Every structure is written in C-alpha cells, then in structure tokens.
Amino acid sequence: MALFELTLILLLIAVALTALSRRLQVPYPSLLALAGAGIAFLPGMPTIEIDPELALALFIAPVLLDAAYDTSLRDLNRNRLPLALLALGAVVFTTAAVALLGWKMAGLPIAAAVALGAIVAPPDAVAASAVLGQFKVPHRITTILQGESLLNDATALLIYRIAVAAALGPFLLSSAAPMVALSTVGSLVAGYVLGRLSLATLSRIEDAASGTVVQFAGTFGVWILADRLGLSAIITIVVYAMTIAQTAPRRMSARKRVSSYSVWETAVFVLNVLAFVLMGLQARSIVGRLAGTGELDAFIFAAAVLAVVIVSRLIWVLGCGAIIRWFARFGGAEHQPDTPSFRGGVLIGWCGMRGLVTLAAAFALPVEFPARDPIVLAAFTVVLGTLVLQGMSLKPLLRILKLDPDETVDREVAKARVVVMQAALDVLSGKTSSAAAAVREQYAAQRKIAKNPEDAQAATEYDRLRLYAIKSQRDALEELRRDGTIGDEAYHRLEEEIDWTELAASPAGRFQPLTTD
C-alpha cells in the first residue's frame, strides 16, 4: 500500500512539474529527473530499485513503439546518410572515446571500459521524444533525432553484450559474429511477421477498449518474446510498429483508432513521467553503495565521462557535417550534401540526452562485473547531467541559433487537404439530391480554404459560424439533461457527435467560436 501511495504522489508531483516545465519552456524530463534525485535524499523516503529487465519492457517498449509508429519511412530514407552516421558512427565513436578515458583514467579493464562506453553512448528514444515535443524544431532535424533514437540503441546494446561477455570470461569475436548477424536478421523478420499477425487479430476485434488492451499486451508480448529468443527487442519492436503503421489505418475503424490514440497518448505520458522520476530516485542507492570506497575519485571520473560524452558527440556531428559539405563542393548541384547545416549540426550535437536505456543497461551488469559501482555512478551522472545540462539549455540555444522556420509539414497538410476535399467532390458529382448538394457545398467551402495555405488554418466565417452553432447545440444539450428530458447515456452519445463536428470545424485547434455578444 505504501508503494501505491508513493506512486500516486509521484504522479501528482510529475504532473505539477510538467505544467511548470511548459511555463518555463524547459523539457519536462529534466525537471522530473532532477526532482526524483532530490526526493530520493528526503528523510524517510523508501529506496526504490528498478529491475532492469522490467524497466526496459515496461518503459521502453510502449514508448519506442509509439515513436516508431509515427516515424515516416520516406523521411528515414531521405536522411539515411546522417542517420547512419549517428546510429552507427556516433555510437562507435563515443564508445571508443569513453572506453579510452575509462582505461587511462580509472584503470578499467578494456572490456569493462568498452561496456561503459556502450552504456552511455546512445541518446534515448524516450528522452528525445519528450524533449522534441516541447520545442518548435525544424522538421528535418526532428526526423533525424527521432530516427537516430530508434536505431542507435541496437548498435550500443550489441557492443554492450559483447563487452560484458568478454569481461566475464573467454570470448572470441569470430564465434559471436554469426550469432549477431542471425539475431539482427531474425529481429527484422520477427518484427514484420508479428506485426502482420497483430493486424490480423486487431481487425477481428470490434470493441475499441478490447482492441486497445490487445495492442498493449501485444507490445509487451513482442518485446518479451524477442528477448527470450535472443533477438534484439529494440529492432523487433521498431519493425513491428512500422509494419502496423503502414497497414492499420485501412483496417481499423475510426472509432477504434481515435480511442486507441487517446489511450496511448495518456499511457505514454504516464510511463514517461514515472520513468524519469524513478530514474532520479536511484541516486541515493548508487551513492550509498560507493560510500567509503573511493567515492571522490568515482565522482570525478563520472564527471569526466559526462564531459567526454557531450564533447565527443559534438565533435562527431560537426566533423562529419563539415567533411560531407567539403566533398559536396566538387560534386555539382546533383550532389548537394545530405546533411544539416552547421547550425542544424550544433542542435543535433547538443540534443544527446541519455535516458532509461543507459540506466537499465548499467543496472543489468552482473554483480561480479569489474568496477560495477563506478560504472553505474558514471551512467547515472551522464543521464542526469545530459537531461539537466543539455535539456535546460535547449531554449536559449534555439534562440541563439535562429534556425529558419520549417513549414514542410504544414505545406504537405494543406496540399493533401485540397486533394482529399476534391476526391469527396468528385465522388458526389453524380448525386443530384438536395442532401448531396448540401454536402457538396460544405466540401467546396473546405476546399476553398485548403487552396490558400496561408489562410488554411485561420478562422474563416464558414467555420466561425459552424462553431457558433455548435455552442448553441451544447447549451441546448445541457438544458435537455438538466431538465430530465434525456439521460446521461443519450447525453454522452450526442456530446461525442458534437465533439467530432467541432473538431472538423477546427482542424488545428485554433478556431474560436463566436460569442453571443
């Protein structure tokens, strides 16, 4: 019961901190992790240990699926070069830099130093999604950062597993290579097959609530199955989500889709806030284990690892960008650099927040692993340090960089809206009834709005009148329930219909109803 009460309190604190973060315009993961670390040292606070396997399945699987579901394969393909440089090159480069520091400064065995490098190398998908959602970042940079966070964990965890095996006993890379290749291919195949099976199951479930439950159970089931089979759970989940995303919209009803999106949005938010608060709560147990065993040296080493992690990413991103642009000068117009500008590179290099994957990998180290406690402390320092230092400085950095506004998505939406409205008009062109004429008039008005991208999201007289009428509908509906003419079931059904009408009249949530003044 005490744990349940503490969880409720932490959730309420997290919600308050999230609201504060919006007012201060800082990423909420930064405040949550910092608050969790502060709460951990309050007198009487219980020690909450995270089971690494449970943490990865509970917190990473659904958030990773949510991010992968919204990822565009087209955009990933367009940015394949920067994504490869980040998801593969940056991880290897950071791992090597940290491993060198660990070997030289702390005297770690080579395998243990490489394991530490792999633990702190990958920026986290949870942190990236949570941070990017609060800032108006150019679309291409957002795409690169989100794509990187989906793919780099697999690279880092592969290096991590090899290094852990080498540190604990005899190990031959030549014997492990075929298993690694088989695991990667198996993960791709498993993700696709399980995605198709999930779609076949979901299409047969009519109830929206049951369908959403099956989605969550399927997500955790895919992660657990992949892990038990020795596959990469991260690759499997990413492929699983993308497979569903390409087909599900045509096989799910609108009601099930809307219900599912609402539940997933809330669930992902709750998992995010719990993950970052619980992450901070690990501070006391980590510090406690190091008491009296070279504590000062461990903290100095942890701070050095944090500095190397931040600097190495900046060096890699800016260096690769400069080299690609330099070579592109000799390639002509058709060989323009497939990499962001210098200012974009600075932002990408600074957006390297680490998160739950780093912490869970550190806690998953076996008890007998060499220098386990200093490694765990360094991992926690990197997570908390990047969330606070980099996360809280994003707003002033964006102000300094003055990146050009990116309206790519807005233009695509406006263009697609015209085509969609025209398709409706075309299919109704042969209908001659008065009802068809009224519907055609509505679509024609919406097409007229969509044809002018600058005014497409503005409050027009057409939509203002619709919202004005909707306000009167709501007032009448409230009166019907108040005087007992209708019951709550009828009220909520009509309320839902009016909600959808209002959403149709205000696609960007920016239209305001006329007042009755």
Side-chain angles (χ1 to χ4, degrees):
M1 187 64 179
L3 180 60
F4 177 70
E5 293 169 352
L6 177 61
T7 302
L8 291 179
I9 293 172
L10 291 177
L11 275 176
L12 292 175
I13 292 173
V15 170
L17 288 173
T18 302
L20 177 63
S21 72
R22 291 194 182 99
R23 292 182 65 88
L24 299 176
Q25 291 188 308
V26 297
Y28 73 81
S30 306
L31 288 183
L32 294 177
L34 200 58
I39 293 172
F41 289 97
L42 292 177
M45 287 299 298
T47 300
I48 300 179
E49 294 286 350
I50 301 178
D51 181 349
E53 297 299 326
L54 174 62
L56 287 173
L58 179 60
F59 295 119
I60 300 299
V63 177
L64 195 63
L65 181 135
D66 184 64
Y69 187 91
D70 294 330
T71 298
S72 167
L73 288 174
R74 181 204 66 178
D75 291 341
L76 290 181
N77 184 56
R78 287 180 177 177
N79 296 289
R80 56 187 178 276
L81 177 57
L83 283 174
L85 290 172
L86 288 171
L88 297 174
V91 168
V92 173
F93 182 75
T94 302
T95 298
V98 172
L100 181 62
L101 176 73
W103 179 51
K104 290 290 188 180
M105 180 178 179
L108 298 179
I110 293 294
V114 171
L116 171 60
I119 288 170
V120 299
D124 191 57
V126 181
S129 300
V131 169
L132 293 175
Q134 290 185 252
F135 294 101
K136 187 67 174 177
V137 178
H139 176 66
R140 189 181 184 213
I141 293 177
T142 301
T143 299
I144 291 173
L145 289 171
Q146 288 180 336
E148 176 202 9
S149 67
L150 292 177
L151 304 173
N152 60 10
D153 289 336
T155 305
L157 291 180
L158 171 62
I159 299 173
Y160 166 81
R161 288 174 179 170
I162 293 174
V164 170
L168 296 177
F171 176 81
L172 292 176
L173 183 60
S174 58
S175 62
M179 292 301 297
V180 169
L182 183 62
S183 172
T184 302
V185 174
S187 300
L188 296 172
V189 173
Y192 177 78
V193 171
L194 292 171
R196 302 294 296 186
L197 290 174
S198 178
L199 282 171
T201 303
L202 289 171
S203 63
R204 291 180 170 84
I205 300 175
E206 297 298 329
D207 179 57
S210 299
T212 304
V213 171
V214 170
Q215 289 175 30
F216 276 98
T219 300
F220 294 123
V222 168
W223 181 281
I224 294 170
L225 178 63
D227 191 56
R228 295 284 173 84
L229 293 177
L231 305 176
S232 169
I234 290 174
I235 295 176
T236 306
I237 280 286
V238 169
V239 175
Y240 172 79
M242 289 183 173
T243 301
I244 293 175
Q246 296 302 308
T247 313
R250 300 290 294 181
R251 300 181 67 173
M252 289 179 65
S253 67
R255 182 176 296 276
K256 286 198 297 183
R257 185 163 52 251
V258 170
S259 172
S260 172
Y261 286 175
S262 299
V263 173
W264 271 93
E265 183 179 6
T266 303
V268 167
F269 172 75
V270 170
L271 290 172
N272 268 333
V273 298
L274 281 178
F276 288 111
V277 171
L278 291 174
M279 198 182 300
L281 288 173
Q282 308 306 303
R284 188 172 66 179
S285 60
I286 294 172
V287 173
R289 282 197 295 268
L290 284 167
T293 58
E295 189 174 352
L296 179 59
D297 291 340
F299 276 107
I300 294 174
F301 174 63
V305 171
L306 171 62
V308 169
V309 164
I310 293 174
V311 172
S312 62
R313 178 176 174 86
L314 284 169
I315 291 174
W316 178 264
V317 173
L318 296 178
C320 287
I323 292 172
I324 293 173
R325 285 190 293 272
W326 185 79
F327 276 111
R329 293 179 186 176
F330 307 100
E334 70 277 9
H335 296 291
Q336 290 301 310
D338 185 22
T339 187
S341 64
F342 173 78
R343 289 181 296 171
V346 171
L347 181 59
I348 291 173
W350 194 249
C351 285
M353 288 71 66
R354 271 61 173 179
L356 197 63
V357 170
T358 291
L359 202 60
F363 277 110
L365 290 172
V367 177
E368 68 275 15
F369 195 82
R372 183 183 187 277
D373 285 343
I375 289 176
V376 173
L377 176 64
F380 180 81
T381 302
V382 168
V383 170
L384 190 62
T386 54
L387 283 173
V388 174
L389 179 61
Q390 294 181 308
M392 289 190 170
S393 60
L394 273 181
K395 180 185 175 183
L397 178 62
L398 287 169
R399 189 183 298 119
I400 293 171
L401 293 176
K402 295 180 180 178
L403 294 167
D404 296 330
D406 188 344
E407 299 178 351
T408 302
V409 176
D410 292 336
R411 288 194 298 269
E412 289 182 355
V413 168
K415 182 179 179 180
R417 187 176 289 122
V418 174
V419 176
V420 169
M421 297 305 170
Q422 186 61 52
L425 287 170
D426 291 343
V427 79
L428 291 170
S429 60
K431 306 295 182 181
T432 57
S433 66
S434 58
V439 174
R440 278 199 301 271
E441 183 179 349
Q442 291 181 5
Y443 279 120
Q446 293 176 14
R447 184 189 60 178
K448 183 178 180 181
I449 297 169
K451 278 189 173 181
N452 188 347
E454 295 181 358
D455 297 332
Q457 307 298 330
T460 65
E461 185 66 17
Y462 171 77
D463 287 297
R464 283 182 178 274
L465 287 172
R466 292 177 70 189
L467 292 171
Y468 180 51
I470 287 170
K471 184 179 184 302
S472 296
Q473 287 180 301
R474 291 192 185 280
D475 293 341
L477 186 61
E478 288 291 340
E479 183 62 29
L480 288 172
R481 183 171 69 162
R482 191 180 301 114
D483 63 19
T485 302
I486 62 174
D488 278 11
E489 184 174 351
Y491 171 84
H492 289 303
R493 187 172 298 180
L494 287 167
E495 180 187 44
E496 183 181 10
E497 292 177 6
I498 295 173
D499 286 343
W500 283 115
T501 305
E502 182 174 344
L503 287 172
S506 52
R510 292 170 58 182
F511 296 113
Q512 298 297 326
L514 293 175
T515 63
T516 54
D517 297 339

